[in-house]
Amino acid sequence: MTQSVRRRRRLRTTMSGVATAALLSAAIVTTPSFAADEELILNGGFEDGTAHWFVNDGNATDAGELSITADASAGSSAALTTDRATTGSGPMQDLSGKVQAGETYELSARLKYDDEASPTTKQFFATMHYGGGSYTNLVDTVATNGEWATIEGTFTIPTTQDVSTARLFFETPWTADPAADPATHLMNFVLDEVSVVGAEPPPPASTTIEVVGKNPGEHNPLISHKFGADAFGFVDDGRVYLYLTNDTQSYDPDPATGVSSQINYGDINQLTVISSEDLVNWTDHGEIQVAGPDGVAPFTNNSWAPGMAKKVVDGEEKYFLYYANGGGSSNVITGESPLGPWTSERDSLLIDGSTPGAEDVAWKFDPAPFVDVDGSPYLYFGGGPASTDMPDEERYNNPKNLRVIGLGDDMVSTEGTAEVVDAPVAFEAAHVFEREGLYYLSYSSHFGGPDFGGSQTPAPGYPGGGQIGYMISDDPTSFPREKYAGVLFPNQSQFFGAGTGGNNHQSVFELDGTYYMTYHAPTLNKRITGNSTQGFRSPHIQELSFREDGTIEQVVGDYAGPDQVQDFDPYRAVEAETFGWQQGLATAKVTDGSAEFGAGAPNLVVEDVDAGDWSALSSVDFGESGAAEITARVRPLVEGARIEVRLDGRDGPLVGTVAVDGPVGEWTEVDAALDGAVGVHDVYLTYQGPSGEDLLEADWWRFSEAVAPEPEVAVTVDVSAQCVGVNARLVVDVVNGEDAPVAVDVSTAYGTKHHPHLKAGGSMSRPFAAHSRALDAGSVSVTVEARDAVGVIDAAYGSVTCG
């Protein structure tokens, strides 16, 4: 086996079939373990046309045509390669993610060339392209003109080989100028019956975060099972929704080290949604596929830095989700609720280079909507390098790179010309909210450098690099530099230390009269990998405090986060993907509707549940009666799994154990009795079962409240059926054994009596005439009201016949 590196001059060492066989045999000796038997090639017989195949395009000069021919070695079809531009221009299939370093594979194929002008024999290679200039000849054969030849052998991928890219193709030996003699070097050839057998494709690296990323008692970061950045806070019907850039989409931890490569923003075309009623326990609503070929708006490529607004349009309440389509433009999609479903009312971008007033804005992104109290809608956007037409000092201190523009009443169009927001040292992330008639615009400041006039010191009072500054105006469209009010939030690294710096992105929302600021920091990333983080950010919240003059106290970031604004209600269907804290769990979207949010809302389940994993909810209020039972909808994956319900800690008091004993692989409801779940507690659900196994998936759970026993009342009732001459009657005797008066209501088939004040220790006797000689057996109902308690006593009597 020969491994070579292709550069602009494609030098390659060729070899004879004898040498190849010897080297392959040596490889087998040094790597005695053979991979499991698994076919890795798709459509190797070309019976599905050219599906999964294409002409090698590893170099700019590679080119050719791939078609189907009936001249097949077996079956009805084979692949014909014509018009080859290079010796490497042959049929290729991508095996990335299928082959593994250190494994041995068997390769076979049939091929043929048939051209009178070509040589009598010709060597062919099966070659792997590992990306860049790394190519390895795997197996070769010498074919005879006009005859089918078999290429077969084994190959071992070196343990040191990077297989993140692995593309198999078939070619003839490299030569410097193949076009000088195309019949010898660029002949057409047919390929059929391709097979690569070896180890089954490795499972994808787990993205489940196994560390405790949010310590019990902490309220920041908000979630610890995934990442999310650029949080936009939006309150609807008392619930806070956060819309996030889906940083998790680029997370690819190495299976050995657990460390991911740096975040790649170009991969992100989804937005993540979480929500909470109390700012501590957050429900994961999953991702919205916004952009890309399968997105709601397929004419966009990315989705970053979302913004949300609600408005009544043509009598219909609608929700509008704005997002950055990379750095150069912004767009909007429309929802029926804060959770969708989502549609695109546009087939082109909302903000781009043609937007009036935005022509000179370098980055037309970070769209933040704002609907004023009078119903007027606006959109704030922009950022990036300042215009080179400005003096350097102006480029640094007042880059004029942010804009505000009016939105149409439909919320999916703009009106008029974008106006300049002259925010000092501005970089990006403009956001506006209103309070007591004043408009607050916050933004992220830049770090200087060539894009902003070189290395400088900001003007006195202006923000430093990577801070959140803010302005105050009495007009939502007018923010001259004189309206600058100060630094709202210093750089997050000041609070969370090494590895957490960089630019930020904030929003402000109001809940029940209190204002909160969102921001992000790579705190979860730091807890996974230490002080060297890879750019994966997590959402945080801090409460805002205002001075009497309307300015804002500078915000201090911390892990404590916001106070919980209300206790958690457990007596309802609660999505299992609702976490105050957790460890080792992941979530996945399913097609079923949500038990808590309705059939039209997205639904997730908790997955990757291993023995010892757990989730917890903060300040769950079971009330004075307490919870009698827990019910959960789960899908058991093994036998013997169970869920422990504990209070106030992973090892806290055990109040119940749910045996997950439904049919393996089927969704079922399981329940368990509880003892001691009374009052307000943090509640831990700890998963137990066979180690090394995925135990279950969980959809939702619900607690059932214990029924309070009816209060005992020390009142006795005696009923007798009697004869008075030839007439029958009932006699009801009531004795009050309470130490206070009671009210008594007697109800019989023959009338009722009310005694409003039967004294302590007193008694009453009431007859009820039957107006007949016979009286059938029955019962009397006596309602007794004593202090704040009400009791009902049913007393039976027998039959009687008189005269």
Side-chain angles (χ1 to χ4, degrees), residues 238 276-280 511-512 514 516 562-567:
S276 176
E277 292 178 318
D278 57 34
L279 303 184
V280 176
L511 179 65
D512 297 330
T514 301
Y516 300 88
D563 292 337
Q564 186 165 338
V565 298
Q566 65 183 49
D567 290 336

Side-chain angles (χ1 to χ4, degrees), residues 347-666:
D347 56 13
S348 61
L349 295 164
L350 175 66
I351 301 291
D352 60 15
S354 65
T355 302
E359 296 86 355
D360 294 334
V361 176
W363 297 344
K364 301 171 181 64
F365 72 165
D366 289 1
F370 168 69
V371 180
D372 202 356
V373 290
D374 65 358
S376 300
Y378 304 94
L379 189 70
Y380 302 82
F381 66 93
S387 171
T388 56
D389 293 338
M390 299 180 186
D392 285 349
E393 183 177 0
E394 183 82 356
R395 292 179 68 199
Y396 190 97
N397 287 294
N398 295 95
K400 299 179 179 63
N401 50 4
L402 304 180
R403 296 290 186 273
V404 54
I405 195 168
L407 289 170
D409 287 338
D410 60 6
M411 297 290 285
V412 297
S413 62
T414 62
E415 290 186 347
T417 300
E419 302 293 335
V420 172
V421 173
D422 193 4
V425 199
F427 189 40
E428 58 187 17
H431 176 274
V432 165
F433 71 96
E434 183 271 340
R435 177 182 178 270
E436 297 181 358
L438 295 177
Y439 300 90
Y440 294 78
L441 183 143
S442 57
Y443 62 95
S444 180
S445 61
H446 67 71
F447 293 88
D451 288 339
F452 294 93
S455 178
Q456 300 182 47
T457 300
Y462 278 11
Q467 298 185 334
I468 302 298
Y470 77 106
M471 310 173 79
I472 304 175
S473 176
D474 56 5
D475 183 340
T477 65
S478 177
F479 288 96
R481 68 186 68 180
E482 292 79 14
K483 299 297 183 180
Y484 177 70
V487 172
L488 176 60
F489 184 66
N491 189 267
Q492 60 276 8
S493 61
Q494 177 174 323
F495 309 112
F496 302 110
T500 64
N503 59 313
N504 215 314
H505 194 116
Q506 77 303 328
S507 76
V508 174
F509 64 88
E510 181 266 329
L511 179 65
D512 297 330
T514 301
Y515 289 80
Y516 300 88
M517 187 190 84
T518 69
Y519 62 100
H520 61 234
T523 46
L524 175 59
N525 192 174
K526 182 172 181 175
R527 281 177 167 164
I528 296 170
T529 60
N531 290 339
S532 178
T533 57
Q534 292 75 49
F536 296 94
R537 303 157 295 176
S538 294
H540 295 63
I541 289 176
Q542 306 289 163
E543 184 177 333
L544 293 184
S545 296
F546 293 81
R547 304 182 184 95
E548 288 187 8
D549 63 358
T551 58
I552 307 173
E553 297 278 0
Q554 192 171 109
V555 175
V556 174
D558 58 34
Y559 287 106
D563 292 337
Q564 186 165 338
V565 298
Q566 65 183 49
D567 290 336
F568 192 90
D569 174 16
Y571 299 123
R572 56 196 169 109
V574 176
E575 296 299 332
E577 59 275 13
T578 301
F579 304 135
W581 309 281
Q582 65 82 42
Q583 183 180 10
L585 302 176
T587 58
K589 190 170 287 189
V590 293
T591 55
D592 296 341
S594 167
E596 184 176 1
F597 297 92
N603 186 34
L604 278 71
V605 298
V606 172
E607 64 170 10
D608 200 4
V609 180
D610 303 315
D613 290 347
W614 56 273
S615 66
L617 292 165
S618 176
S619 297
V620 177
D621 187 0
F622 290 115
E624 294 182 2
S625 299
E629 186 179 61
I630 181 174
T631 302
R633 184 173 188 260
V634 297
R635 188 167 78 95
L637 300 179
V638 296
E639 294 182 351
R642 62 190 186 278
I643 306 171
E644 295 178 345
V645 184
R646 296 182 179 271
L647 302 182
D648 302 319
R650 294 169 57 186
D651 300 318
L654 178 66
V655 295
T657 300
V658 182
V660 183
D661 53 8
V664 171
E666 297 182 16

Side-chain angles (χ1 to χ4, degrees), residues 13-50:
T13 302
T14 60
M15 55 189 170
S16 70
V18 174
T20 303
L23 286 171
L24 288 171
S25 298
I28 295 172
V29 171
T30 58
T31 310
S33 62
F34 237 91
D37 205 15
E38 179 84 6
E39 177 61 71
L40 305 185
I41 293 293
L42 300 174
N43 188 30
F46 300 96
E47 302 304 317
D48 293 329
T50 58

Side-chain angles (χ1 to χ4, degrees), residues 87-319:
T87 58
S89 301
M92 171 176 272
Q93 186 164 135
D94 192 349
L95 298 183
S96 302
K98 292 186 175 184
V99 295
Q100 306 176 61
E103 294 285 2
T104 299
Y105 299 88
E106 293 179 312
L107 182 149
S108 63
R110 299 275 285 168
L111 55 82
K112 181 175 72 171
Y113 71 102
D114 190 353
D115 188 337
E116 292 181 356
S118 295
T120 302
T121 61
K122 186 66 178 178
Q123 187 180 30
F124 285 82
F125 289 103
T127 302
M128 194 79 83
H129 181 200
Y130 290 113
S134 179
Y135 292 80
T136 298
N137 299 137
L138 304 176
V139 183
D140 82 322
T141 191
V142 175
T144 299
N145 196 337
E147 298 179 7
W148 283 100
T150 298
I151 181 170
E152 62 182 348
T154 58
F155 66 93
T156 298
I157 300 178
T159 57
T160 57
Q161 177 64 60
D162 180 1
V163 293
S164 56
T165 297
R167 308 198 310 167
L168 173 70
F169 68 101
F170 294 83
E171 62 174 343
T172 50
W174 181 85
T175 187
D177 186 12
D181 188 359
T184 299
H185 303 294
L186 300 177
M187 70 279 288
N188 302 338
F189 69 93
V190 180
L191 182 70
D192 201 4
E193 298 304 301
V194 184
S195 173
V196 174
V197 174
E200 63 182 75
S206 172
T207 58
T208 301
I209 297 168
E210 301 291 347
V211 304
V212 179
K214 178 184 180 184
N215 292 324
E218 296 176 346
H219 299 166
N220 277 332
L222 305 182
I223 54 176
S224 61
H225 67 295
K226 60 172 57 174
F227 305 97
D230 309 322
F232 191 98
F234 174 75
V235 178
D236 191 64
D237 196 23
R239 191 172 189 91
V240 178
Y241 296 84
L242 291 188
Y243 301 85
L244 309 164
T245 302
N246 180 23
D247 277 16
T248 309
Q249 196 171 4
S250 183
Y251 184 59
D252 60 342
D254 182 274
T257 66
V259 177
S260 174
S261 55
Q262 288 289 320
I263 188 170
N264 182 356
Y265 300 109
D267 289 344
I268 300 175
N269 57 20
Q270 299 173 345
L271 298 174
T272 298
V273 187
I274 62 175
S275 74
S276 176
E277 292 178 318
D278 57 34
L279 303 184
V280 176
N281 300 298
W282 292 89
T283 300
D284 181 4
H285 299 288
E287 281 65 51
I288 306 168
Q289 185 63 58
V290 176
D294 300 321
V296 179
F299 54 91
T300 59
N301 299 315
N302 294 111
S303 56
W304 309 338
M308 167 62 74
K310 177 175 72 172
K311 196 172 187 296
V312 175
V313 177
D314 296 330
E316 180 181 358
E317 189 174 74
K318 291 184 176 182
Y319 297 80

Side-chain angles (χ1 to χ4, degrees), residues 243 271 273 288 290 306-309 319-323 331-335 342:
Y243 301 85
L271 298 174
V273 187
I288 306 168
V290 176
M308 167 62 74
Y319 297 80
F320 300 91
L321 182 55
Y322 300 80
Y323 63 96
N331 199 49
V332 59
I333 58 176
T334 305
W342 303 97

